[in-house]
């Protein structure tokens, strides 16, 4: 099945009753995210694929991640926005009580990634920064946490870090509140600079937030 709008192509293989909600949410939020990244629009229509089989989605993910975790439910690794359906999300321990609004916020989270990919798709060893932006701009937590983490692990194996998204959100909140938009965009455009600055950023945030 396929639904197409001016900016989106949505593909799914079963009847889904929240497609209209998905489109409405993206239409409400897209300009805000595009403006943050100083984009007028995306280079081409964004394809959104809704996976209605967790096993099939896991097979898809394993092409891109060294280890699959049950909490994984969305990605943009192949340039599309891939989403595990809300029904399949609710079969996992991590997302058993996910609401429709939370599910729709995940779509905005992935749209943030899509916009960042338009500028520079290089996320090697800076996944924490990608998630810092996506959580703050897409689906923010209503709390921050103490920043107790292994820096090497956060840089080299983000998915294995306990409370990884909460850590990324806390770092991102600090950056967005204390760094200029120009500085943030410099890191978006030049991840090689961010890789050099990462540990200094971690130390700064730990000193100011903890």
């Amino acid at each position: 099945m396929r639904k197409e709008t001016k900016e989106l192509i949505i593909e799914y293989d079963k009847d889904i009753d929240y497609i209209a909600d998905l489109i409405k949410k993206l239409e409400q939020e897209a300009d805000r995210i595009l403006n943050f990244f100083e984009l007028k629009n995306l280079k081409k229509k964004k394809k959104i694929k809704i996976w209605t089989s967790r096993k099939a989605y896991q097979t898809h993910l394993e092409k891109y991640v060294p280890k699959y975790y049950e909490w994984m439910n969305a990605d943009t690794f192949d340039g599309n926005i891939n989403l595990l359906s809300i029904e399949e999300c609710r079969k996992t321990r991590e997302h058993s009580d996910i609401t429709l609004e939370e599910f729709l916020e995940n779509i905005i989270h992935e749209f943030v990634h899509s916009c960042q990919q338009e500028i520079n798709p290089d996320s090697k060893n800076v996944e924490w920064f990608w998630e810092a932006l996506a959580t703050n701009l897409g689906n923010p937590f209503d709390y921050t946490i103490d920043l107790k983490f292994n820096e090497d692990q956060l840089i080299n194996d983000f998915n294995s870090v306990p409370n990884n998204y909460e850590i990324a959100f806390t770092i991102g909140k600090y950056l967005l509140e204390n760094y200029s938009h120009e500085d943030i965009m410099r890191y978006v455009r030049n991840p090689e600079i961010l890789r050099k600055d990462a540990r200094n950023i971690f130390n700064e945030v730990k000193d100011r937030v903890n």
Side-chain angles (χ1 to χ4, degrees):
M1 299 179 183
R2 181 184 177 104
K3 177 76 173 180
E4 191 163 347
T5 72
K6 183 178 178 182
E7 303 293 342
L8 304 171
I9 299 171
I10 305 169
E11 294 184 353
Y12 47 102
D13 61 6
K14 294 180 181 178
D15 284 332
I16 293 175
D17 61 8
Y18 45 83
I19 296 298
D21 297 300
L22 184 157
I23 293 171
K24 181 179 179 182
K25 184 71 172 179
L26 275 168
E27 288 178 342
Q28 288 174 338
E29 301 289 348
D31 284 348
R32 175 177 65 86
I33 306 301
L34 288 165
N35 289 338
F36 178 88
F37 287 102
E38 301 173 0
L39 297 170
K40 291 184 178 180
N41 47 50
L42 299 181
K43 295 173 185 175
K44 60 182 182 180
K45 285 189 177 186
K46 181 55 58 178
K47 178 180 173 182
I48 300 174
K49 181 172 181 178
I50 300 177
W51 296 76
T52 56
S53 163
R54 188 149 53 99
K55 184 176 180 180
Y57 181 63
Q58 179 178 343
T59 299
H60 154 77
L61 269 184
E62 287 174 341
K63 300 175 187 175
Y64 304 100
V65 297
K67 181 179 179 181
Y68 168 79
Y69 295 86
E70 190 191 56
W71 52 261
M72 293 176 169
N73 66 345
D75 74 271
T76 57
F77 289 119
D78 62 1
N80 303 315
I81 294 178
N82 295 283
L83 298 165
L84 189 63
S85 70
I86 193 170
E87 295 83 4
E88 289 298 298
C89 284
R90 287 171 175 164
K91 295 177 183 178
T92 67
R93 290 186 297 274
E94 183 79 14
H95 305 294
S96 60
D97 58 353
I98 190 171
T99 65
L100 177 59
E101 182 57 30
E102 289 168 336
F103 177 80
L104 296 176
E105 286 177 351
N106 281 342
I107 297 166
I108 306 306
H109 178 114
E110 298 304 322
F111 187 74
V112 174
H113 288 328
S114 293
C115 291
Q116 189 166 351
Q117 284 175 326
E118 296 268 314
I119 299 170
N120 192 326
D122 179 8
S123 63
K124 182 176 174 60
N125 298 134
V126 291
E127 288 178 80
W128 62 269
F129 178 70
W130 284 62
E131 300 305 344
L133 294 183
T135 50
N136 276 273
L137 298 175
N139 56 342
F141 294 95
D142 57 6
Y143 60 91
T144 58
I145 65 170
D146 289 340
L147 293 176
K148 298 176 181 178
F149 60 88
N150 180 297
E151 292 183 4
D152 288 334
Q153 188 180 8
L154 192 71
I155 290 170
N156 297 307
D157 192 11
F158 176 83
N159 286 334
S160 72
V161 177
N163 302 313
N164 52 358
Y165 283 84
E166 290 90 342
I167 290 168
F169 171 75
T170 301
I171 295 172
K173 187 173 189 294
Y174 176 85
L175 293 177
L176 290 168
E177 291 175 351
N178 293 279
Y179 282 46
S180 70
H181 187 255
E182 181 181 354
D183 287 337
I184 298 293
M185 289 304 299
R186 183 166 64 97
Y187 287 141
V188 170
R189 295 187 181 99
N190 304 284
E192 68 278 4
I193 297 175
L194 180 59
R195 285 188 275 268
K196 294 177 182 177
D197 290 355
R199 294 181 192 279
N200 289 335
I201 291 172
F202 297 158
N203 290 333
E204 177 184 345
V205 180
K206 285 177 180 179
D207 287 344
R208 301 288 183 87
V209 173
N210 287 349

